[in-house]
Amino acid sequence: MSSFYIGDREIAPQQPCFIIAEVGQAHDGSLGMAHAFIDAVAKTGADAIKFQTHIAAAESSKQEQFRVKFSLQDATRYDYWKRMEFTREQWHGLATHARERGLIFLSSPFSLEAVELLQEVGVPAWKIASGEIMNKPMLERIAETKKPLLLSTGMSPIEEIDAAVELIKSMGLPLLVFQCSSYYPCPPEKVGLNLLQFFRERYHAPVGLSDHSGTIYPGLAAAAIGVEALEVHVTLSREMFGPDVPASLTTGELHQLVEGVRYIETMKANPVDKNELQPELAPLRELFTQSIIAAVDLPEGTIIERKHLAFRKPGRGIPASHIDWVIGCRLKRTVAAGTFLAEEDLDREELWP
């Protein structure tokens, strides 16, 4: 499996998972809101922020109706895409702002014109939405840039994914394959964690999960299995308007997801040897384990029986687990009730010559 870089981040097994916050159209056409997303995502610890670059006249038509009518101000899907557009200068501003906040700037193109715009703005990799997976002209133009390609598979059967991967590899592009299920929100039975290893073995490429569940759980599970990238939709509030809000994490939840992924990575990178832990745990063992004490006053010469013994913390005497070793021993000295027994109190030679 070949590794590659997106900006300064290496995408490879054993490297930290590359976490992408997908804004999509959550800005609802507001440039100020788009910039607010950059500031909010920068605080979560995510590696990258991703938008979608729509140019209505280049990707849609007046005949494109809404799949689901959700907007009171847009009569058609074309009108919606038009409202989502930013100017060339505005895209430059968003990219600059993201980089200033330490985020890698990405955006999915939905037309050849969008590819040209984003190439000028400067993206270090291309994210291909599942609806564009077989857009050969777009892939061929992207191949000329020699930049890595992140391929979503949300709506595609295996045969189509196979063809897309073959095309992309024939162009010599570094590739990561995202498992994605195009449900908004995606229920747990449709997430498809099993496909992560399937894609890894089938395509010999890094893999990721593009999750639309609106929860942190699939991302954490994917991190535990091991993925090179994770993408989630993000919203500033569940009360915001937009078709992706039910499938999105709040920025607070994104922060929790990032923390969880890094926690999981630390656990996986540090296998534990129980015996090696013992020196560090010795003080706790003494505090929480119990030792053998005299339950009653025992004169010198007593042959110890079970009824003579009790157990108390701390574990700085003969461990309770050694009771069978103690029973039958002869006391060398008088021991008062409540006293912790010590090995030097016991005469073992008479019993075990």
Side-chain angles (χ1 to χ4, degrees):
M1 184 187 303
S2 59
S3 63
F4 57 88
Y5 280 83
I6 297 178
D8 61 354
R9 283 297 312 276
E10 184 178 9
I11 307 301
Q14 312 308 319
Q15 293 298 318
C17 180
F18 184 62
I19 302 177
I20 304 169
E22 161 73 276
V23 177
Q25 283 83 246
H27 53 74
D28 200 41
S30 164
L31 181 63
M33 185 68 72
H35 281 282
F37 267 99
I38 292 172
D39 288 326
V41 168
K43 298 175 184 177
T44 68
D47 299 294
I49 189 166
K50 193 182 83 64
F51 293 88
Q52 296 179 9
T53 301
H54 294 279
I55 302 174
E59 71 174 82
S60 186
S61 70
K62 294 290 186 179
Q63 284 70 46
E64 185 188 10
Q65 301 299 311
F66 276 113
R67 291 166 291 186
V68 177
K69 180 70 175 178
F70 65 87
S71 171
L72 296 176
Q73 65 186 107
D74 305 305
T76 68
R77 195 77 172 174
Y78 181 95
D79 294 333
Y80 178 67
W81 296 137
K82 189 69 179 175
R83 191 161 59 81
M84 293 302 105
E85 292 181 9
F86 293 129
T87 67
R88 189 175 304 271
E89 292 71 23
Q90 289 169 339
W91 278 117
H92 274 285
L94 289 168
T96 298
H97 185 189
R99 293 164 191 146
E100 289 173 347
R101 294 306 307 268
L103 293 168
I104 291 174
F105 174 81
L106 299 171
S107 189
S108 294
F110 288 84
S111 63
L112 284 171
E113 288 83 346
V115 172
E116 299 302 333
L117 190 159
L118 290 172
Q119 176 67 0
E120 178 188 316
V121 168
V123 289
W126 300 97
K127 169 67 192 300
I128 300 300
S130 57
E132 309 296 330
I133 190 171
M134 290 304 292
N135 188 334
K136 188 176 180 181
M138 181 186 291
L139 294 178
E140 288 176 339
R141 175 63 186 99
I142 284 173
E144 296 174 3
T145 72
K146 304 300 183 183
K147 295 175 182 178
L149 194 149
L150 313 178
L151 185 70
S152 190
T153 62
M155 296 183 286
S156 300
I158 294 299
E159 296 77 9
E160 189 171 86
I161 301 170
D162 286 346
V165 169
E166 183 178 357
L167 176 63
I168 293 164
K169 287 192 171 184
S170 72
M171 298 172 175
L173 297 181
L175 172 68
L176 179 142
V177 179
F178 272 114
Q179 158 51 16
C180 173
S181 295
S182 296
Y183 298 87
Y184 302 88
C186 183
E189 61 270 19
K190 303 293 186 181
V191 170
L193 290 178
N194 61 298
L195 291 171
L196 296 171
Q197 188 61 24
F198 173 78
F199 287 156
R200 189 188 300 279
E201 295 174 357
R202 189 176 186 87
Y203 303 128
H204 304 287
V207 298
L209 178 68
S210 181
D211 176 41
H212 301 144
S213 70
T215 74
I216 66 172
Y217 308 126
L220 295 176
I225 293 172
V227 288
E228 284 69 61
L230 181 62
E231 179 186 65
V232 291
H233 280 261
V234 64
T235 181
L236 299 181
S237 166
R238 296 204 187 281
E239 296 178 342
M240 290 184 67
F241 169 81
D244 293 333
V245 170
S248 300
L249 301 183
T250 65
T251 51
E253 290 167 334
L254 175 60
H255 179 71
Q256 186 179 25
L257 173 64
V258 173
E259 282 191 331
V261 169
R262 302 306 179 217
Y263 198 102
I264 290 168
E265 290 171 343
T266 300
M267 290 190 292
K268 293 179 66 177
N270 293 274
V272 170
D273 183 317
K274 293 291 283 185
N275 289 332
E276 289 182 0
L277 294 179
Q278 294 314 300
E280 297 179 23
L281 295 177
L284 281 178
R285 281 179 56 82
E286 180 177 306
L287 182 62
F288 287 104
T289 59
Q290 296 193 7
S291 301
I292 300 173
I293 67 168
V296 295
D297 293 333
L298 299 174
E300 179 182 347
T302 299
I303 303 297
I304 297 177
E305 301 178 26
R306 175 63 184 84
K307 65 183 179 180
H308 298 148
L309 306 176
F311 313 95
R312 299 289 186 275
K313 298 175 183 177
R316 63 180 57 156
I318 299 174
S321 59
H322 286 25
I323 184 171
D324 292 337
W325 182 86
V326 172
I327 291 173
C329 289
R330 186 187 303 276
L331 278 178
K332 293 182 178 180
R333 66 179 181 90
T334 297
V335 176
T339 302
F340 285 83
L341 294 182
E343 289 190 35
E344 55 267 25
D345 297 334
L346 307 175
D347 186 350
R348 300 174 58 196
E349 294 182 355
E350 293 184 12
L351 300 171
W352 295 286

